[in-house]
Each structure stands twice: as C-alpha cells, then as structure tokens.
Amino acid sequence: MFSSFVPALFGGFLIGLGAILLMVLNGRIAGISGILSAALWSREPSDTKGIAWQWYFLGGLLISGLLMGAPLQAIFDVQPIDIAALSISMPMLLVSGLLVGLGCTIGSGCTSGHGICGIGRLSPRSVVATLVFMFVGVITAIVFH
Amino acid sequence: MKKLMALLCGVLFGTGLMLSGLADPAKVISFLDVSLLSSGQWDPSLMLVMSSALAVYLPVYLMVVKPRALAQQGPVFESHYHLPTKRVIDAPLVIGAALFGLGWGLVGICPGPAIVNLAQFDLSIMLFVTAMIVGGFLGRQLMDVMPVTAHNA
C-alpha cells in the first residue's frame, strides 16, 4: 500500500504545478470540465485567432496519455492503466458519462476546477461542491461495488 | 506563447493524473469505496494526491496571484486573471456536484482522466467521453432555460 504513496505525492505535485502555472502564466483556472466546455461551445471574443487555447491544454492531456505511460511505469513502477480490462458495461458508461457531463456543467466544475483550483483559492463554493461530490461519490461507490 | 504554455500545463497535469493513480478508474473506486476499510483493501493514497496538489496551488495563489489580482496586475502572458466572481452557494452548484459525484462513484472516471485515457483508443472510454459531452451540452441547455444561471466555478 505504501508503495503507492510516493507516486501519489509526486503525481499530486505535478497536478498542482500544471494547475498553478496555468494561473500564473495565463491567468486561467485549470478546470477540465470548464475547459472542455469552452473549447466546444463558447469561444471568447478576445480569442479568435487560430485554435482556442483550451484545445492546447486538452492536447497536452492527450499527449501525456499517449507518451507518459511507459516512462512512468519504468521510473515509478506504477501499474499501467487498462480501461478495457475493467469491462464496464455500455449502459453504465453512458449513464455515468451523462451524469458527469451534466453535473459538472450545472455545478460549475469537477474534481480539478473545484477540488484543486477552487479549494486552492479558498472559494467557499468550491469547498461545498467538493464536499458534496466526494460524499455522493463515496456513497455511490459503496452501494454499487 | 500562451498556447504553448497551455499545452505544457496540460502535459504536466495529465502526467500527474497518470502517476498519481487518479486516472485509473479501478484505483479511484477502491478509494471512494471506504467500506473496503474493514477488509484492509481501502486505498487512501488518492487523499495524498489532493493534499499534495493543494500544497503547491494554495500558497502560490495566496502569495502571488491574489495580491497581484488585487493590485490590478495580470499574469505573465495575459492582461488579467480570469477568476470566478460568483460567491453565492446555490441549488445548481449543490445539485450539479451531487450528480457529478453519482457519475464519478459509478465508474471512477472524472473529466480530466477521461481525456487522458482517450489516448488508449478504447471504445469504452470514447463512449464515456461522448456521453460526457452530451451531458455537458444538456446541462448548458438546462442552465439557459433556468432563471438562476451559474457559469464558471
């Protein structure tokens, strides 16, 4: 169990670093649901040249998914992620995906936007949202697993 | 430069998600399911991920970003910080967070890891992301017709 503590701490450090750099350099909240939503549907008037910055951030996420698996495995001995092996049923994937997309949009954020950037700004809204989704997440996981 | 930095931040963030285990749905479920505590199978390590991320974010925000924003100074590559202005804790916030928690607790995937895991080109994650986008679209429609609108965190 303790072997997962070092990757967790260092992984958290990288998440925090990526998030705060986006704020310090570009003045933006690293909330993934908000970034995805803005990339798809709401282009700002000030940002009309070329591809919106949100796509670059999302591209960065994808690049890490494509390239970082092997090095992380080699250096930190973390288990590779195998989504297919989880064999989650199709209705379950669709229902949970819908709920996540709907919930994050209505609730103005997800784990990253509220849990890290929001709490990291000591925003009362984000503290409440994080407590709510953690609580409901815990209850749901207990009931369904 | 702004866009290059966004890309770099995305790589750092995504690498952190993968390394920390937050991008692994099985690990997320074994963290959320605290009933595993009794059998000794509970995985508390994701607690450290959030603590460690906040240990970086919070002090830099309080010492650099907040004072600069108050003094009307901007970030390095932008004219001003884009900070949420909404303060009120309203029904959409709580209901939305609850719905998100429900979806997250079912399969252990939240938006960041969903995007990172798209790199696996697995049909199931593509389905999840498609459903998530549809859910987001429905959410936007819903917010437009409701009297209380809550954009941005």
Side-chain angles (χ1 to χ4, degrees):
Chain A
M1 187 213 275
F2 288 95
S3 61
S4 63
F5 283 7
V6 172
L9 281 172
F10 195 58
F13 169 78
L14 288 178
I15 294 171
L17 187 66
I20 197 64
L21 277 178
L22 193 68
M23 178 54 75
V24 169
L25 299 173
N26 292 4
R28 297 289 181 166
I29 303 270
I32 314 302
S33 56
I35 288 177
L36 179 64
S37 171
L40 289 169
W41 291 301
S42 61
R43 181 139 227 201
E44 288 160 42
S46 60
D47 187 30
T48 50
K49 281 179 296 213
I51 301 163
W53 71 266
Q54 284 92 348
W55 285 116
Y56 285 82
F57 185 88
L58 295 172
L61 290 182
L62 210 54
I63 288 173
S64 61
L66 284 170
L67 303 179
M68 299 311 289
L72 289 180
Q73 223 178 308
I75 301 167
F76 292 94
D77 195 29
V78 287
Q79 289 291 312
I81 303 163
D82 191 350
I83 299 288
L86 297 171
S87 57
I88 309 165
S89 74
M90 197 185 285
M92 187 64 116
L93 280 166
L94 292 176
V95 168
S96 59
L98 272 173
L99 284 169
V100 168
L102 182 66
C104 292
T105 306
I106 299 176
S108 316
C110 57
T111 339
S112 49
H114 281 312
I116 293 160
C117 301
I119 294 184
R121 294 182 302 110
L122 302 177
S123 153
R125 270 172 63 82
S126 291
V127 174
V128 169
T130 306
L131 288 173
V132 170
F133 69 65
M134 289 294 283
F135 177 76
V136 176
V138 163
I139 301 293
T140 309
I142 292 172
V143 172
F144 283 88
H145 295 277
Chain B
M1 195 48 126
K2 208 169 69 180
K3 288 172 177 178
L4 190 68
M5 289 302 133
L7 182 84
L8 173 79
C9 291
V11 173
L12 285 172
F13 198 98
T15 306
L17 286 177
M18 293 178 74
L19 176 57
S20 65
L22 203 60
D24 185 350
K27 207 171 159 70
V28 171
I29 293 299
S30 67
F31 164 69
L32 288 176
D33 187 355
V34 290
S35 69
L36 294 169
L37 201 56
S38 54
S39 59
Q41 304 273 295
W42 185 56
D43 183 349
S45 64
L46 292 191
M47 216 62 167
L48 296 175
V49 181
M50 206 174 190
S51 318
S52 160
L54 283 173
V56 178
Y57 201 98
L58 190 62
V60 179
Y61 179 82
L62 292 180
M63 289 189 291
V64 179
V65 178
K66 201 175 179 188
R68 284 185 63 86
L70 286 173
Q72 306 289 324
Q73 291 167 308
V76 180
F77 299 114
E78 266 270 287
S79 57
H80 64 283
Y81 296 99
H82 298 260
L83 297 170
T85 49
K86 212 165 168 186
R87 292 280 174 274
V88 60
I89 292 158
D90 51 12
L93 180 81
V94 177
I95 295 167
L99 291 176
F100 164 52
L102 184 59
W104 192 37
L106 285 177
V107 294
I109 310 172
C110 57
I115 305 291
V116 170
N117 285 327
L118 270 182
Q120 297 205 2
F121 298 108
D122 183 72
L123 185 64
S124 58
I125 197 71
M126 290 179 193
L127 268 174
F128 181 90
V129 171
T130 308
M132 186 172 86
I133 290 173
V134 172
F137 181 76
L138 292 176
R140 290 178 74 90
Q141 304 300 106
L142 205 60
M143 298 305 290
D144 283 346
V145 295
M146 282 203 296
V148 189
T149 49
H151 290 297
N152 302 321

